[in-house]
Amino acid sequence: MQPDNNQENTKTNSKLTPELYDKFAPPVYGKILSIVHQGPIAGKVLEKVFVSAYTKDETFPLRSPLMSLIDLAQERSRKTVKALTIFRECCSGASISITDKK
């Protein structure tokens, strides 16, 4: 039995292009906003996600670009919320331990 040639065709390397920003920015921004809950901060995280994807010349061979961007946005949003929490706690004089690696 011969291998299916259609499988090779379905594995395309989707490259992030400026046109995809218009298509993917709203759902990615929605995901960020659901985690961060503040519009200006969510806008900055969205900017960082797309700048990172463009500068690294990301290709998405295994997953769709949208899902890859949402995963990246979720990771950056959580790190931003954690950093802001630590900053607020430090500024308020409360003691907080940052030894947790999660």
Side-chain angles (χ1 to χ4, degrees), residues 20 32 63 93:
L20 291 179
I32 294 168
R63 299 180 73 193

Side-chain angles (χ1 to χ4, degrees), residues 4-14 60-63:
D4 189 13
N5 291 336
N6 290 336
Q7 287 181 344
E8 291 179 19
N9 293 336
T10 59
K11 293 182 179 181
T12 59
N13 286 340
S14 300
F60 307 102
L62 300 177
R63 299 180 73 193

Side-chain angles (χ1 to χ4, degrees), residues 70-85:
I70 286 179
D71 287 345
L72 181 60
Q74 185 174 7
E75 177 186 339
R76 290 210 179 221
S77 298
R78 290 193 173 141
K79 286 182 180 180
T80 300
V81 168
K82 186 175 181 179
L84 287 172
T85 301

Side-chain angles (χ1 to χ4, degrees), residues 28-80:
V28 173
Y29 180 76
K31 182 62 176 179
I32 294 168
L33 195 57
S34 72
I35 296 170
V36 175
H37 301 294
Q38 294 179 358
I41 296 172
K44 291 291 184 184
V45 173
L46 178 70
E47 180 182 316
K48 296 276 185 187
V49 166
F50 277 95
V51 166
S52 173
Y54 283 127
T55 57
K56 290 182 181 178
D57 200 27
E58 291 281 345
T59 57
F60 307 102
L62 300 177
R63 299 180 73 193
S64 73
L66 176 61
M67 293 308 297
S68 298
L69 287 169
I70 286 179
D71 287 345
L72 181 60
Q74 185 174 7
E75 177 186 339
R76 290 210 179 221
S77 298
R78 290 193 173 141
K79 286 182 180 180
T80 300

